Amino acid sequence: MSDIVPPEVRPKPVVPAKPPHVGAPSPSSPYPPQGLGAGTGVSAPLPPSAIPVMIGSHGISHAPSHTPSHIAVSHGVGVSSGGHGGSHAHGGSQGSSGGSTLLGYIGIDTIIEQMRKKTMKTGFDFNIMVVGHSGLGKSTLLNTLFKSQVSRRSAGWARDEKIPKTVEIKAVSHFIEEGGVKMKLTVVDTPGFGDQINNDNCWEPIGKYINEQYEKFLKEEVNITRKKRIPDTRVHCCLYFISPTGHSLRQLDIEFMKHLSHSVNIIPIIAKADTMTIEERQDFKQRLFSNWCAARAVDPVHCTVATVLEVLQFLLDSGRSHSTLRVYVAAISSLHNRVDGATVGRHRLVSLFLRGALRLRPPTAMRAPAWDLPLVLEALSSPPFEPLGQVKLKWLSMKAAFLLAITSAKRVGELHALSVSDTCLRWNSDGSGVTLWPNVAFLPKVLPRNHLNQPIQLARFDPPSEEGGYELLCPVRALRAYISATADIRQSEQLFVCHGGPNRGHVLTKQRLSHWVVDTITHAYRASGRPPPSGVRCHSTRSVSASWAALRGVPLGTICAAASWASPSTFSWFYRVNVATPHLMGVVLRPSSAVRKELEMGGIEYYPQKEFDEDMEDKSDNDKIRESMPLAVVGSDKEYQVNGKRVLGRKTAWGVVEVENPNHCEFAQLRDFLIRSHLQDLKEVTHNIHYETYRAKRLHGNGGLHPVSTNDTQESNL
Ligand code: GDP
Ligand code: MG
């Protein structure tokens, strides 16, 4: 791509941008942006309408109501191109050829501070587009990201909303300020995308919009009298929302990303990574009751208890369980007027009905896990399980078996069939993970046909070093250590072999393997001074790990495939247990790997693209991001009290999913990446790559500037 990089190439932003030796950065803004989108370091006064309105000293403020002119595509705060800062720096360094030491202080390093001041004065633009069908949480996520109502919540979820016939494109600008840095944020929403029965070519209007912004910019650039600062309406980032419930990517998702990944920075995310919230279920149930009443011309607020009982009887007849009926009763109660001074839920007849329902439909599934996963993981991170290189083979064997069981969600029979032979075990050449195939000859006969020979893919778990200790839970690391420790004693190719006694090195029985897992749990409890739970079975690792995966937004179909379950209902009825305790296990189980595989297999590119990495540091930072794409996120504007703190979250049947807790979802990772580390890069790639591709094509290929055609989007995918 080097041939299309324009002359104005700016230095790569490094995050956090702390100026060395030039005073501390503003405490309220640890990550001030460096430079500006279309040029670095030239100030220009803000137009009067662009004066930000501060609410609080450090908080982000937005002022849509103060700036009515911005509720439209009104891109006022552009930045000029140029590079004063750069030329100063250049002049300063000329005298010291080959990096020789300066004899006295010149002050070159103050350039960073000078640039910072200019940026503070000027502010910068950031244009973000959200794409995905209605109700996927686009508006909510944007509001959560910018801690502000930057996106008006659509009523898209409501049944009665009129779905637009085509994709509409709406841009709304806001001025937000933090730590003295001003940002003009333009949110481009695309309501109607993917909402039709036939969604063919749904991406076209969006591509057209993106190109129109390039065209506008180009026209301004080639004007004889150029504006000092060209208004920048180009889309710097497109958040593409993938549905959390689909078993895989939809054709529409693939089409969109394939067509537009070369025109705009696409960041795919899995939206609404939690399950349905309690509130939504109530909402749904209320709606059912209201519809029932409407169909019979009965008033849902004032109807008799008999009508309520009739609805409950209908629900019972249609197979609803006692606990489900209770949720319906709660939902109806919150809607219905009181009867004899009490809610309908407390009415004697309703209580009697529920008691009868309980007798008729006793609960069948165990809902709470028999043991505490975080507690066991804690134990695995300390002696006698660590340091791994020095521990006895017994502890190493137990740890490897437990981590494999919990991260693969496989039956003990399948784990038992794993083998170290070359045909059954392959390490990724880059050390990123390992794939294990069971030896078919050892597999139990009861396994469903379609699950025979399904591999286990384990990725290396390599969290940032500040999250100390979590790497000790990497299953790939444990497996590698186990295989190397058993190499000399091994008498069998089966992965797990006896670690002691007369059969040392010989194949282990399935029962012994189960014991290892159960013993690990028992040991962890004893080590923490708690009595071990009774009746724990190795099999329970399947339910615990799968429930974590579901909490993290892995589609049920993917979980079922991984765990060899025939249908999602097997999982939800028998295995889904309460795993609300926040823990890193959610991170260990890579939720989005299935979708990422699909993206890879489909040859779909997304930001940050490998080919745009500028150096090794860039590559290693971006590799980490690419490995965790698409991020599974949860958005919310509601706060809940958790451990004495108020946190943004969503209440689910399993507890509160905390938006900013990295163990619950990847929102924090998305925010850090989008705003704190890559915001400037998004703008640079837009300018240097996407816009430049467009510009080169328009100027060279077209023999001058002619009106842009709708089909240019596709053609510009060079
Ligand atoms: P949009 O049409 O894509 O802009 O979606 P909205 O942001 O208007 O959200 C639609 C509905 O989804 C609202 O009821 C939100 O409360 C809900 N919602 C938004 N984000 C999430 C999420 O992360 N998890 C869950 N469970 N619901 C969400
Ligand atoms: Mg919306």
Side-chain angles (χ1 to χ4, degrees), residues 505-557:
H506 287 276
V507 66
L508 190 75
T509 62
K510 240 188 308 180
Q511 288 71 17
R512 283 301 313 152
L513 184 57
S514 295
H515 276 136
W516 283 6
V517 173
V518 174
D519 287 351
T520 309
I521 300 167
T522 315
H523 172 86
Y525 270 79
R526 294 226 168 88
S528 72
R530 289 169 59 180
S534 59
V536 174
R537 292 165 55 221
C538 174
H539 204 62
S540 61
T541 51
R542 278 160 60 73
S543 59
V544 174
S545 65
S547 300
W548 268 103
L551 181 67
R552 302 270 299 155
V554 185
L556 280 185

Side-chain angles (χ1 to χ4, degrees), residues 212-269:
E212 278 168 2
Q213 310 318 306
Y214 290 148
E215 183 70 14
K216 264 193 211 168
F217 198 87
L218 179 59
K219 287 228 169 97
E220 291 288 351
E221 259 192 347
V222 297
N223 255 350
I224 296 175
T225 49
R226 276 204 285 180
K227 283 188 183 141
K228 198 172 172 206
R229 294 169 55 199
I230 299 175
D232 189 3
T233 61
R234 296 167 301 179
V235 178
H236 299 127
C237 165
C238 168
L239 284 182
Y240 188 83
F241 286 63
I242 297 168
S243 164
T245 45
H247 287 210
S248 58
L249 289 174
R250 297 177 311 164
Q251 191 55 31
L252 174 67
D253 303 332
I254 295 171
E255 287 234 325
F256 181 90
M257 287 191 256
K258 273 209 160 158
H259 281 110
L260 297 187
S261 65
H262 292 268
S263 304
V264 66
N265 295 320
I266 297 181
I267 300 180
I269 53 177

Side-chain angles (χ1 to χ4, degrees), residues 138-140 151-154 189:
K138 301 184 293 296
S139 306
T140 311
S151 185
R152 278 169 298 173
R153 276 272 290 280
S154 63
D189 201 353

Side-chain angles (χ1 to χ4, degrees), residues 135-140 153-154 272 274-275 277 280 634-635 650:
L136 265 186
K138 301 184 293 296
S139 306
T140 311
R153 276 272 290 280
S154 63
K272 289 179 143 183
D274 56 329
T275 47
T277 64
E280 276 166 2
V634 172
R650 300 199 81 90

Side-chain angles (χ1 to χ4, degrees), residues 244-247 367 450-451 542 546-547 550 554-577 654:
T245 45
H247 287 210
R367 291 283 161 187
N450 52 336
H451 293 307
R542 278 160 60 73
S547 300
V554 185
L556 280 185
T558 311
I559 297 173
C560 293
S564 327
W565 285 319
S567 79
S569 59
T570 318
F571 166 70
S572 45
W573 282 107
F574 297 107
Y575 289 97
R576 195 144 156 174
V577 292
W654 297 341

Side-chain angles (χ1 to χ4, degrees), residues 136-145 241-242 244 269-277 280 550-554 630-638 640 648-652 655-671:
L136 265 186
K138 301 184 293 296
S139 306
T140 311
L141 189 82
L142 279 177
N143 291 342
T144 320
L145 265 175
F241 286 63
I242 297 168
I269 53 177
I270 298 176
K272 289 179 143 183
D274 56 329
T275 47
M276 256 186 160
T277 64
E280 276 166 2
L551 181 67
R552 302 270 299 155
V554 185
L631 298 170
V633 296
V634 172
S636 172
D637 45 18
K638 277 210 182 119
Y640 293 92
L648 273 181
R650 300 199 81 90
K651 200 166 175 187
T652 73
V656 174
V657 176
E658 296 164 41
V659 167
E660 302 205 34
N661 185 333
N663 299 321
H664 288 193
C665 78
E666 288 160 330
F667 171 84
Q669 209 177 328
L670 174 72
R671 185 209 38 216

Side-chain angles (χ1 to χ4, degrees), residues 209-485:
Y209 176 87
I210 290 168
N211 277 352
E212 278 168 2
Q213 310 318 306
Y214 290 148
E215 183 70 14
K216 264 193 211 168
F217 198 87
L218 179 59
K219 287 228 169 97
E220 291 288 351
E221 259 192 347
V222 297
N223 255 350
I224 296 175
T225 49
R226 276 204 285 180
K227 283 188 183 141
K228 198 172 172 206
R229 294 169 55 199
I230 299 175
D232 189 3
T233 61
R234 296 167 301 179
V235 178
H236 299 127
C237 165
C238 168
L239 284 182
Y240 188 83
F241 286 63
I242 297 168
S243 164
T245 45
H247 287 210
S248 58
L249 289 174
R250 297 177 311 164
Q251 191 55 31
L252 174 67
D253 303 332
I254 295 171
E255 287 234 325
F256 181 90
M257 287 191 256
K258 273 209 160 158
H259 281 110
L260 297 187
S261 65
H262 292 268
S263 304
V264 66
N265 295 320
I266 297 181
I267 300 180
I269 53 177
I270 298 176
K272 289 179 143 183
D274 56 329
T275 47
M276 256 186 160
T277 64
I278 284 173
E279 287 97 328
E280 276 166 2
R281 278 183 219 194
Q282 286 229 356
D283 187 46
F284 175 75
K285 289 175 166 67
Q286 268 182 2
R287 217 180 302 141
L288 184 135
F289 179 64
S290 302
N291 290 348
W292 167 281
C293 292
R296 288 158 186 78
V298 177
D299 176 0
V301 180
H302 300 100
C303 66
T304 61
V305 174
T307 307
V308 175
L309 290 175
E310 215 182 312
V311 175
L312 293 178
Q313 184 63 50
F314 159 77
L315 292 168
L316 188 69
D317 291 345
S318 54
R320 308 306 208 277
S321 68
H322 166 256
S323 57
T324 309
L325 290 186
R326 283 179 49 150
V327 183
Y328 272 100
V329 169
I332 297 170
S333 293
S334 61
L335 188 75
H336 197 277
N337 241 11
R338 290 174 163 248
V339 183
D340 303 333
T343 61
V344 274
R346 294 195 173 271
H347 196 277
R348 201 177 55 86
L349 288 177
V350 174
S351 304
L352 272 176
F353 186 94
L354 286 178
R355 235 180 289 161
L358 179 63
R359 221 167 294 140
L360 278 174
R361 302 258 158 80
T364 47
M366 183 187 75
R367 291 283 161 187
W371 49 276
D372 185 14
L373 177 63
L375 184 143
V376 181
L377 293 174
E378 200 83 48
L380 286 179
S381 311
S382 37
F385 295 104
E386 287 289 337
L388 208 56
Q390 297 159 25
V391 302
K392 280 193 180 158
L393 186 56
K394 172 186 167 182
W395 302 112
L396 177 57
S397 308
M398 284 162 61
K399 177 165 179 169
F402 182 88
L403 286 178
L404 212 62
I406 199 78
T407 49
S408 69
K410 293 288 184 201
R411 290 179 178 84
V412 69
E414 290 165 273
L415 297 176
H416 185 248
L418 296 176
S419 158
V420 290
S421 71
D422 288 346
T423 48
C424 292
L425 186 144
R426 202 157 303 149
W427 300 101
N428 297 356
S429 54
D430 58 358
S432 62
V434 61
T435 308
L436 298 138
W437 287 266
N439 183 336
V440 187
F442 302 137
L443 276 174
K445 293 179 193 66
V446 292
L447 215 59
R449 235 159 215 274
N450 52 336
H451 293 307
L452 277 181
N453 211 16
Q454 270 208 354
I456 297 177
Q457 286 175 323
L458 297 175
R460 196 181 63 205
F461 179 50
D462 204 5
S465 53
E466 63 266 24
E467 290 180 29
Y470 292 174
E471 70 281 358
L472 303 182
L473 294 169
C474 173
V476 177
R477 169 179 172 265
L479 193 66
R480 198 181 275 281
Y482 176 73
I483 291 174
S484 118

